[in-house]
Amino acid sequence: MPRRSATLFVLLALAISGPAAAATPFACRIGPRADDSFLLAERFEMAVRPEARRTEYRLLVQNPHPYPAAVLTGIELYGLVQSPAEPVLVPPGGQASVLIGWFPHDMSAGRRAPPMIEEVRAGMTIPFCEVLAPDHGQVAMPMAGRRAPRLG
C-alpha cells in the first residue's frame, strides 16, 4: 500500500504542477527484485494530427538509469481512446515520448471538444513502470524508440 500512496502523491503533484514543471519523478520498479526507483516526467504534450484525424496526448519521460525502462500509461476519460496496452521502452539515460491516448476528430463534429491537457494530466495513471536492470550478469539491450515486447 505505501507504493500505491507514493504513486498517487506523485500523480497528484503532476496534476497540480502545470506544464512549466520540469522533471517530476514518478515511481518505477528497478530490476528483478522490484526495488523502488523512479523515472522523470519531463512534460505533457497535446498535438493535433490532421493526417490521422485525431488529437494525441503524450508524456515525455526521462530515464536517468544506465538500463532501459518500460513504461505503460493508462487513462479513463470520456471521449479519449487509451493507447495500446504495450509498454514503451525508454533508452538508458535517454528520453521517450509515451502515448497516453487520443481524441478522434469525428467526436468533435458538433458534439464535444478535445479535452484540455490539464484534464488528461489529472486522469492519467502509470500502471506499469520497470527499469530493466540485468540479473546475474545478463546484459541489458537498449531498444530506443521501439515498443517493448508484451510483458506478463
Side-chain angles (χ1 to χ4, degrees):
M1 209 54 159
R3 179 182 289 160
R4 186 169 197 188
S5 297
T7 301
L8 290 175
F9 174 76
V10 169
L11 290 175
L12 180 60
L14 282 172
I16 294 171
S17 64
T24 304
F26 62 90
C28 194
R29 298 180 310 197
I30 185 169
R33 294 186 317 218
D35 294 330
D36 289 336
S37 188
F38 66 93
L39 293 184
L40 302 169
E42 291 286 326
R43 70 177 175 269
F44 286 84
E45 301 171 329
M46 175 179 162
V48 177
R49 305 277 186 231
E51 70 283 354
R53 300 182 35 86
R54 65 188 192 187
T55 299
E56 292 182 350
Y57 301 88
R58 295 180 173 272
L59 172 63
L60 185 62
V61 175
Q62 174 72 36
N63 178 3
H65 300 284
Y67 309 107
V71 178
L72 176 67
T73 60
I75 190 157
E76 289 187 27
L77 187 61
Y78 177 75
L80 214 62
V81 177
Q82 188 168 316
S83 67
E86 295 180 17
V88 173
L89 279 177
V90 184
Q95 294 180 338
S97 180
V98 180
L99 181 64
I100 300 167
W102 64 85
F103 181 84
H105 286 178
D106 59 357
M107 285 280 293
S108 61
R111 290 182 273 164
R112 179 158 163 74
M116 299 300 293
I117 194 74
E118 292 79 16
E119 292 177 83
V120 173
R121 185 182 310 122
M124 186 202 77
T125 61
I126 302 174
F128 178 81
C129 183
E130 184 174 351
V131 177
L132 306 172
D135 186 26
H136 305 295
Q138 295 176 348
V139 178
M141 300 294 290
M143 298 170 56
R146 297 185 3 213
R147 293 204 179 261
R150 198 164 252 225
L151 302 174

